[in-house]
């Protein structure tokens, strides 16, 4: 018995170009996000191309302002039915070192100072967790909440659609436009290949 489906030519996969912002749109977002208590989180996403789970899982012991590097060694994700869970990066290549720009180092220094002030203000309610980005009581930031806030800022500023993950693509595009080799960009993002 012959299967007629074997004679058919399967359709070619359609690869959708990811949504992208240009530099002017990114600047509009920065301006719109400047009043957000999580503006620094979004800015570090722009400056490093880190995934939201990597930013949420970033701990101070993985930040070295002297060498100007952060180590991506932990992730923080909301797991259905379990809550927030600290885990490992998704692939061996995702576990990496990222060289920070001067503005990223300066940003992290200001985050550190603000966190010290928050710890003093919270007093005994503060929970020392070691995370870079925390709530006012020291508990880690939920990446789902940050994605929701990102969408709200984008919508209220009437900007073209982009997800928080899309800031990774924006970071990569700007590096490539500046002439950074594709292999370096790929390694910086923790991709398994240049493609």
């Amino acid at each position: 018995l012959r299967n007629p489906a074997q004679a058919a030519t399967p359709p070619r996969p359609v690869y959708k170009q990811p949504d992208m912002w240009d530099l002017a749109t990114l600047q509009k977002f920065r301006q719109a996000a400047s009043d957000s208590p999580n503006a620094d989180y979004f800015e570090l996403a722009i400056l490093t191309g880190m995934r939201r789970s990597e930013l949420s899982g970033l701990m101070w012991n993985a930040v070295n302002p002297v060498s100007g590097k952060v180590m991506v060694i932990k992730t923080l994700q909301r797991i259905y039915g379990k809550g927030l869970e600290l885990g490992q990066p998704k692939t061996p290549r995702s576990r990496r070192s990222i060289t920070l720009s001067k503005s990223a180092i300066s940003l992290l220094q200001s985050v550190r100072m603000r966190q010290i002030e928050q710890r003093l203000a919270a007093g005994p309610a503060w929970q020392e967790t070691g995370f870079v980005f925390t709530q006012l009581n020291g508990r880690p930031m939920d990446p789902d909440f940050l994605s929701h806030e990102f969408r709200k800022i984008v919508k209220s500023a009437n900007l073209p659609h982009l997800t928080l993950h899309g800031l990774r693509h924006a970071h990569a595009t700007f590096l490539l436009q500046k002439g950074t080799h594709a292999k370096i960009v790929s390694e910086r993002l923790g991709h398994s290949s240049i493609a």
Side-chain angles (χ1 to χ4, degrees):
L1 209 63
R2 190 171 170 277
N3 182 351
Q6 289 175 329
T9 305
R12 288 180 183 259
V14 177
Y15 296 105
K16 185 181 178 288
Q17 189 71 14
D19 293 317
M20 192 60 57
W21 284 349
D22 59 17
L23 201 49
T25 307
L26 195 60
Q27 286 306 106
K28 285 179 189 169
F29 169 76
R30 281 175 159 141
Q31 193 171 5
S34 63
D35 292 335
S36 165
N38 299 303
D40 292 337
Y41 182 98
F42 300 132
E43 185 63 18
L44 197 63
I46 293 165
L47 294 174
T48 64
M50 291 171 70
R51 295 175 177 92
R52 67 181 198 142
S53 62
E54 295 168 348
L55 284 164
S56 295
L58 184 61
M59 302 184 100
W60 287 115
N61 63 8
V63 177
N64 187 335
V66 177
S67 70
K69 292 182 185 295
V70 294
M71 293 298 298
V72 178
I73 49 177
K74 299 278 182 201
T75 61
L76 187 71
Q77 298 181 65
R78 176 161 293 285
I79 307 296
Y80 182 73
K82 293 184 179 180
L84 290 178
E85 287 213 346
L86 197 60
Q88 301 294 317
K90 64 183 207 169
T91 66
R93 285 197 187 240
S94 295
R95 192 179 174 93
R96 65 200 185 281
S97 170
I98 297 175
T99 302
L100 300 169
S101 63
K102 285 180 184 173
S103 53
I105 293 169
S106 175
L107 174 75
L108 283 166
Q109 288 168 339
S110 68
V111 169
R112 186 66 156 158
M113 292 307 297
R114 196 161 31 261
Q115 195 178 76
I116 290 167
E117 291 166 6
Q118 289 170 344
R119 184 191 315 150
L120 292 172
W126 181 265
Q127 296 179 41
E128 190 54 59
T129 58
F131 288 96
V132 171
F133 295 104
T134 59
Q135 300 173 45
L136 293 175
N137 64 359
R139 304 230 351 113
M141 295 297 299
D142 184 336
D144 288 355
F145 169 80
L146 291 155
S147 284
H148 176 70
E149 186 182 349
F150 180 84
R151 282 193 302 270
K152 260 177 34 181
I153 294 167
V154 169
K155 191 173 182 183
S156 68
N158 204 23
L159 297 171
H161 171 76
L162 192 77
T163 63
L164 179 52
H165 186 80
L167 291 180
R168 274 172 63 76
H169 302 296
H171 175 74
T173 300
F174 296 131
L175 286 180
L176 292 168
Q177 285 174 348
K178 282 173 29 179
T180 308
H181 192 281
K183 187 176 189 314
I184 293 169
V185 175
S186 172
E187 287 169 356
R188 188 172 172 86
L189 295 179
H191 285 166
S192 56
S193 73
I194 292 176

